[in-house]
Amino acid sequence: MLRGARETEKLDDDDGLIVRKSERAYQWLRDEILSFRMQPGVFIDKVEICAKLDVSKQPVTAALSRLEQEGLVEIYPQRGSYVARLRLVAMSESLFIRGALEAAAVRRIAEDGNELLLRSLTRNLEAQDQAILADAPARFFSLDMEFHSAIARAVPYPHVAHQVDIGLATVKRCRELFRPDASSLRGAFSAHRRILDALLARQSEVAAREMLDHVADYAAMLRGLADARPELFVG
């Protein structure tokens, strides 16, 4: 192999390694923030994170830039990076966008049909029901996220899934502070059931309306949390 080719291959391998490390740092930081193990407003120590994850600063910097775009991190020149505080207006906006996109997605799915997705959503709802019966809210929340993510991924526009994921992150941050009771879980399950029933019946407008109403429930939860814990919110 020629020297230039070997050097190019090594650079490609190095770039791939950095991307993988950056993705690992991104996923770890995102989980720490969404679970509230890293509290809003807390300084993010890059050196400490590099040591914990055994990576250089480059992957961590790239990960923080992605999280800043999602509204989970605030980066200030010469001051460093901080876990984003809860911004009521921005979080409400992300839920509004999520509702509009998911409503459009279920409308499209109901019109076009997607048997594979509908079978997957049916299994997901069965598992949700079992999670409620087993008093396993963490399991239910995970299935809830999967339900909405599957719908977003089912349309042929990758940015839809990305934007919905940002909206789901808003809900997850709220849930860590405002733990819904069994009645709230059953209400979310019923909303999912109505959405799926409309999809199965190919009722596009009904599916869209049910989705909008469902996401509006999350927006109401956010407002309730802001009223109950105003010290956690800014703007």
Side-chain angles (χ1 to χ4, degrees):
M1 185 182 296
L2 296 176
R3 179 181 177 185
R6 286 197 301 270
E7 290 177 348
T8 300
E9 184 176 318
K10 183 179 185 303
L11 286 173
D12 289 342
D13 289 343
D14 290 344
D15 288 344
L17 182 60
I18 290 172
V19 169
R20 290 193 297 274
K21 288 183 175 181
S22 176
E23 180 65 23
R24 182 160 63 90
Y26 165 79
Q27 293 294 346
W28 183 85
L29 282 164
R30 195 171 193 269
D31 185 60
E32 291 291 298
I33 292 169
L34 293 181
S35 66
F36 270 77
R37 287 189 291 272
M38 295 179 72
Q39 293 285 315
V42 165
F43 175 70
I44 299 174
D45 189 331
K46 282 187 184 180
V47 174
E48 181 180 332
I49 292 170
C50 290
K52 185 183 293 290
L53 300 180
D54 191 25
V55 297
S56 65
K57 284 188 177 181
Q58 185 175 354
V60 174
T61 299
L64 290 172
S65 294
R66 288 177 63 185
L67 292 167
E68 182 186 31
Q69 293 174 9
E70 295 183 13
L72 296 176
V73 166
E74 297 169 349
I75 299 176
Y76 300 98
Q78 311 306 319
R79 290 175 52 195
S81 303
Y82 297 79
V83 177
R85 292 164 293 176
L86 302 178
R87 298 184 179 277
L88 183 58
V89 173
M91 295 173 81
S92 298
E93 181 182 27
S94 73
L95 285 174
F96 179 84
I97 294 170
R98 175 192 158 190
L101 290 174
E102 286 199 80
V106 293
R107 185 183 290 112
R108 172 74 176 266
I109 293 164
E111 291 170 352
D112 295 350
N114 188 326
E115 290 301 319
L116 183 62
L117 172 68
L118 296 180
R119 286 196 296 271
S120 176
L121 294 179
T122 298
R123 291 192 297 270
N124 179 284
L125 279 191
E126 291 170 352
Q128 286 185 33
D129 193 27
Q130 290 301 312
I132 293 173
L133 292 173
D135 191 23
R139 173 61 175 159
F140 179 86
F141 295 153
S142 176
L143 291 163
D144 184 354
M145 299 293 107
E146 290 175 13
F147 180 88
H148 289 280
S149 292
I151 289 171
R153 291 195 304 270
V155 294
Y157 309 112
H159 290 300
V160 171
H162 176 67
Q163 289 298 325
V164 168
D165 190 50
I166 293 173
L168 291 173
T170 294
V171 173
K172 185 169 183 179
R173 290 190 91 185
C174 291
R175 278 177 170 165
E176 291 297 325
L177 292 173
F178 181 67
R179 294 287 184 175
D181 56 19
S183 175
S184 297
L185 299 185
R186 183 58 67 179
F189 172 80
S190 297
H192 295 159
R193 178 78 264 173
R194 292 192 298 273
I195 292 166
L196 179 57
D197 287 345
L199 290 174
L200 290 167
R202 306 291 290 270
Q203 296 176 319
S204 59
E205 293 307 316
V206 174
R209 184 177 65 251
E210 292 291 351
M211 181 62 80
L212 285 170
D213 289 346
H214 179 42
V215 177
D217 289 339
Y218 288 125
M221 179 184 73
L222 174 62
R223 290 192 297 271
L225 178 58
D227 290 340
R229 301 287 303 277
E231 73 279 5
L232 296 174
F233 290 83
V234 293

